[in-house]
Amino acid sequence: LAKTTQPISMDSYEGQEVNITCSHNNIATNDYITWYQQFPSQGPRFIIQGYKTKVTNEVASLFIPADRKSSTLSLPRVSLSDTAVYYCLVGTGGTYKYIFGTGTRLKVLA
Amino acid sequence: DVKVTQSSRYLVKRTGEKVFLECVQDMDHENMFWYRQDPGLGLRLIYFSYDVKMKEKGDIPEGYSVSREKKERFSLILESASTNQTSMYLCASSLSGSAETQYFGPGTRLLVL
């Protein structure tokens, strides 16, 4: 099963772009990469998902290089409300088993 | 919007008690999951179910069992609660298919004394 590695924590200031990189060296051919956001005392919430190259939605962008061994979540112009833990997941196609790592604790400062 | 509800937000139980955690989803999802979340360890999958009466072990099934008698309901059972099962328990559901988005409930914080 593909395991993910992320930085434990990051600090940023309001209005800055934040990039969080996740390593997944053992990603399988049919695995997707998914990012979730979790606020204190809440369950994780889906942010974005991709398979290769670049995906963008109204909240974030996801960059995946050709070898797919890593991915980068990009949050444009963060605000204080983006302070949360961000999880990178690699879905193991066909077995329904997702591996959540320990996540990256992002703190946005005023 | 998908709604996943869990029977309790907070529970306090004693060692040796049998504990039932219930999860209900209202979007006719095939897959349901139980995770536990502990500081420094992230979320770990306990069990998941891809259909009624079907279940598969996750990464840490020891000390737990599950029941899925109806599609919308997935129960986690601690047969004999122990202090090391004190944790946040999160339920999730998704459509069939392994790449589908998981929708999480608010969590149950369980304290075993």
Side-chain angles (χ1 to χ4, degrees):
Chain A
L1 298 177
K3 182 179 176 180
T4 60
T5 303
Q6 306 172 232
I8 293 174
S9 64
M10 297 178 70
D11 288 346
S12 182
Y13 288 95
E14 281 190 292
Q16 290 188 333
E17 178 184 76
V18 171
N19 295 309
I20 307 175
T21 297
C22 177
S23 297
H24 28 79
N25 291 319
N26 296 324
I27 190 169
T29 303
N30 54 351
D31 284 345
Y32 280 76
I33 300 155
T34 311
W35 286 80
Y36 285 79
Q37 174 191 56
Q38 186 178 24
F39 298 113
S41 300
Q42 294 185 26
R45 183 179 68 142
F46 171 86
I47 300 176
I48 197 166
Q49 184 182 73
Y51 183 80
K52 61 180 179 181
T53 63
K54 178 184 174 183
V55 179
T56 297
N57 62 22
E58 64 279 4
V59 176
S61 294
L62 178 60
F63 298 91
I64 305 169
D67 66 6
R68 305 201 326 125
K69 293 184 183 296
S70 67
S71 59
T72 299
L73 174 73
S74 180
L75 305 172
R77 297 178 299 283
V78 294
S79 64
L80 296 175
S81 62
D82 292 316
T83 293
V85 178
Y86 292 83
Y87 292 94
C88 164
L89 278 72
V90 174
T92 55
T95 67
Y96 309 103
K97 283 191 179 183
Y98 282 89
I99 299 176
F100 280 80
T102 53
T104 298
R105 189 172 298 275
L106 173 66
K107 186 173 182 180
V108 180
L109 307 168
Chain B
D1 271 357
V2 176
K3 191 165 185 183
V4 179
T5 57
Q6 296 185 227
S7 50
S8 305
R9 290 302 304 269
Y10 301 95
L11 270 181
V12 180
K13 297 291 180 181
R14 297 213 171 268
T15 301
E17 279 193 77
K18 190 168 186 175
V19 181
F20 292 87
L21 302 182
E22 299 239 303
C23 175
V24 178
Q25 50 94 3
D26 66 357
M27 284 301 291
D28 202 35
H29 283 172
E30 287 79 9
N31 300 332
M32 296 189 75
F33 308 81
W34 274 107
Y35 294 88
R36 66 177 280 177
Q37 183 171 31
D38 301 288
L41 296 176
L43 278 80
R44 294 179 291 167
L45 181 64
I46 304 171
Y47 268 98
F48 66 98
S49 168
Y50 52 89
D51 201 351
V52 174
K53 297 190 185 296
M54 305 304 289
K55 61 184 179 184
E56 284 201 28
K57 293 179 180 180
D59 299 316
I60 50 164
E62 297 78 18
Y64 303 94
S65 62
V66 290
S67 172
R68 192 161 180 207
E69 298 296 319
K70 293 184 178 181
K71 191 175 186 180
E72 68 271 17
R73 190 180 298 269
F74 192 35
S75 301
L76 179 69
I77 303 153
L78 287 66
E79 295 290 342
S80 178
S82 63
T83 55
N84 63 11
Q85 292 178 309
T86 290
S87 186
M88 168 71 88
Y89 290 88
L90 289 158
C91 174
S93 72
S94 71
L95 289 168
S96 65
S98 59
E100 294 294 336
T101 301
Q102 293 189 23
Y103 295 87
F104 284 82
T108 296
R109 192 168 291 281
L110 173 67
L111 173 62
V112 182
L113 300 174

